[in-house]
Amino acid sequence: MLVGLWLRMNGYAQVPSITQNADELQFAWLGLSLFEHGVPLTWAYLGPYSNPDVIHLHGTAYPLVHPWFDHPPLWGLITGGAALLVGQHTFADVDMSAVRLPAIFLSVSSIALVYELGRRILGVGPGVVAAVLVAIATPLVLMSRVAEPEALIAPAFLLSLVLTHRQLTGEGGRWGRAALAVICVAAPLAKLTGLVIPGTVGVVFVMQKRYRPAALCAAAGALSLAIFAAYGAAFGWHTFVAATSAQDAHRSGVMSGLEFIASYSGNNHHLFDGWWVLGWIGIGAIAVSRSDREGLLLAWPAIAYLVVITVLANQAWVGAYGWYRVGAYPLVYLGAAALAWRLVSNPSPAVAFLVLALGGATAAEFWMGLPWRAPAKIEFLVFGAALLPAVLAWRRGTRSVGAALLGLMALGSLLQSLQLNQLADLF
C-alpha cells in the first residue's frame, strides 16, 4: 500500500494536467458552491441549461450554470470539501493539489480490499498478485489520480463484495449488513453507475437464497434514487427532470460495452493496457470454470459493471473516458492476476504466452525507452523463457522461473510508473 501511495503521490498535482479533464474541476466547483453558497453551480457544455455565465480560467472558457444536475452531488461534496479544507474558497483558487487527494487515498484503500477479496475468492497467491497490480500498474496509477466519482465507486464495490462474502460465510452479522446498506445508498449518490453495487450484491443474495439481505440492498438502492430526486426537487424539479432526460439522450449506439473492453482509453488520451484485456480473458475463464460462488463474487460483478456501462454510457465517449474503467479496474485486474498466478501454480504454454503478450508487454513498453523497441531475437528469448516453466513443469524448481517472470513484469511496471511524469503526454 505504501508503494502504491508513493507512486500515486509522485507529481500527482501536475500529471495529468489541470486542463486534461475538466470534470475534475466540475465536481470540485459543484461541492464548493454547495458548501459556500448553498446552490449547485458548476460548468456545463451540454444539457437543458440556459444563460450560462462564462468564466475564463487556465486558458479555457467554462460556462457556469445552476442548478446543475448532470450527476448526484456526493463526489462534488467530497472534492469540494477537500479544496475548502486547504483554504481554496473560490473557483480560481481550486487546483489539483487538494482535489485529487480523496481519489488517491480511496485508490490506495483498493489495494488492501482487492487482496482481501482475491484471498477469499481465489486464494492468497492471486490476491497478492492482484494487490501488486493495483498498486503499481502504470495505467491504474495514472487513472487513480483523476478526481472522478469512479474513484469512490471502485473501493465501495470491492468492500461490498467482501461484506457480501462475509454474510454468506456467516461472519458478517448485523453490523455487516448495515455497512452494506450504507454503501448501497452512498455509491449511486456519487454517480448513478454506482447502482451496480446494490444490483450486483442483490443478485448474489438472491442466487444464494438469502432474500432478506437482497431486499435490504434493493431498498437501499431505491433510497439513494429517492435522495437524488429530493435533492433535485429542492433546487429545481423541472430542470432536474430535463437534465436527467438530456443525460439519457446523450447515448449513441449499443457498442459501449465493446468499447469499454477493447478501446485504448485513458484520461482523454490514448492509454494501452494489456493487463485490462488479460483481465477480461481471466474473468471469462472464471465465469465458465470456477464454482458458483467464485463466479458470483468476481465474474458476475465485473460483467454487471460492463452491462451498466453498455446501458448508461455513450458509445462515442467510452473510448476516451478511461475513468469509466476505474470502478471495475480492481475486479478486472483480479481476473488478470488469476491467470498470472498460473505461471507459478500451474504453468502452461498458452497461459505463459498470454500473460507475456498482454500484461508483460504493458509492463515493458516504456521502461526500457520511449518506447522500447526490442530486437526480434530478444523477444523470442523472452517468450522462450516464459515457455520453460510450462514445458518443464514436472521438474522441481521450474515454478521459480514463473515467479521470476512475474517479478520482472512487476519491476517493469514499477519503473514505468516512476517515469509517469515524463510519459504523461503518451497517455
Side-chain angles (χ1 to χ4, degrees):
M1 289 181 66
L2 291 176
V3 172
L5 177 61
W6 170 50
L7 293 174
R8 285 156 173 77
M9 293 294 292
N10 179 30
Y12 76 96
Q14 291 77 41
V15 178
S17 69
I18 193 170
T19 57
Q20 191 167 325
N21 176 10
D23 285 6
E24 295 182 278
L25 289 175
Q26 184 181 57
F27 285 104
W29 290 353
L30 169 67
L32 198 65
S33 66
L34 285 168
F35 280 122
E36 292 282 84
H37 308 293
V39 295
L41 168 69
T42 191
W43 69 260
Y45 291 108
L46 302 173
Y49 311 109
S50 59
N51 302 318
D53 181 14
V54 179
I55 64 170
H56 296 269
L57 289 171
H58 317 297
T60 303
Y62 298 96
L64 299 180
V65 302
H66 73 87
W68 181 87
F69 295 123
D70 287 5
H71 297 290
L74 179 57
W75 184 246
L77 292 171
I78 291 171
T79 55
L84 277 175
L85 285 175
V86 298
Q88 298 175 355
H89 292 274
T90 69
F91 289 180
D93 291 337
V94 174
D95 62 26
M96 298 297 102
S97 63
V99 166
R100 287 179 177 160
L101 289 178
I104 289 172
F105 292 137
L106 286 165
S107 174
V108 171
S109 73
S110 292
I111 299 171
L113 289 168
V114 80
Y115 166 75
E116 180 63 15
L117 182 63
R119 179 189 69 81
R120 288 173 171 270
I121 306 303
L122 301 175
V124 171
V128 170
V129 174
V132 171
L133 277 178
V134 171
I136 69 174
T138 306
L140 189 49
V141 169
L142 175 71
M143 295 309 301
S144 294
R145 300 174 175 187
V146 179
E148 290 277 359
E150 285 79 4
L152 175 63
I153 291 172
F157 206 0
L158 291 172
L159 181 57
S160 72
L161 294 171
V162 171
L163 291 171
T164 299
H165 187 268
R166 287 174 59 85
Q167 290 293 316
L168 296 179
T169 58
E171 303 169 75
R174 182 180 302 173
W175 289 108
R177 289 191 294 274
L180 194 54
V182 170
I183 294 169
C184 290
V185 172
L189 289 175
K191 195 172 186 177
L192 289 182
T193 49
L195 287 168
V196 70
I197 295 178
T200 298
V201 298
V203 168
V204 172
F205 283 127
V206 168
M207 293 294 290
Q208 296 294 307
K209 298 182 179 180
R210 300 284 298 275
Y211 300 116
R212 291 182 65 182
L216 176 66
C217 293
L223 176 59
S224 185
L225 292 178
I227 293 171
F228 186 32
Y231 167 81
F235 289 104
W237 180 252
H238 293 296
T239 304
F240 175 77
V241 172
T244 53
S245 299
Q247 286 290 311
D248 183 63
H250 292 161
R251 295 182 63 253
S252 64
V254 294
M255 301 290 283
S256 297
L258 177 61
E259 290 286 341
F260 184 63
I261 294 176
S263 65
Y264 37 86
S265 53
N267 191 38
N268 280 320
H269 280 61
H270 291 172
L271 177 61
F272 297 91
D273 187 359
W275 291 114
W276 173 260
V277 178
L278 180 69
W280 281 106
I281 295 171
I283 292 294
I286 291 168
V288 300
S289 64
R290 296 279 184 167
S291 69
D292 288 344
R293 185 164 291 186
E294 289 169 327
L296 277 175
L297 289 168
L298 181 51
W300 158 240
I303 293 168
Y305 198 95
L306 175 66
V307 170
V308 168
I309 293 296
T310 301
V311 172
L312 296 181
N314 187 331
Q315 176 183 324
W317 296 345
V318 171
Y321 294 178
W323 53 88
Y324 285 3
R325 293 181 173 181
V326 171
Y329 248 129
L331 291 172
V332 176
Y333 274 15
L334 261 172
L339 291 177
W341 182 246
R342 287 277 304 274
L343 290 180
V344 177
S345 64
N346 187 22
S348 71
V351 172
F353 276 14
L354 195 61
V355 173
L356 259 292
L358 295 175
T362 297
E365 179 68 4
F366 297 102
W367 69 291
M368 297 291 287
L370 298 175
W372 180 43
R373 294 179 176 87
K377 59 185 179 182
I378 299 297
E379 292 194 30
F380 274 116
L381 286 174
V382 171
F383 279 98
L387 188 62
L388 278 175
V391 173
L392 305 175
W394 57 274
R395 292 183 179 272
R396 176 183 292 182
T398 54
R399 291 182 178 183
S400 62
V401 179
L405 285 169
L406 287 180
L408 185 63
M409 285 184 273
L411 177 62
S413 290
L414 178 64
L415 294 176
Q416 182 172 298
S417 293
L418 282 174
Q419 300 178 60
L420 188 56
N421 294 350
Q422 290 74 45
L423 301 174
D425 290 341
L426 301 175
F427 298 146

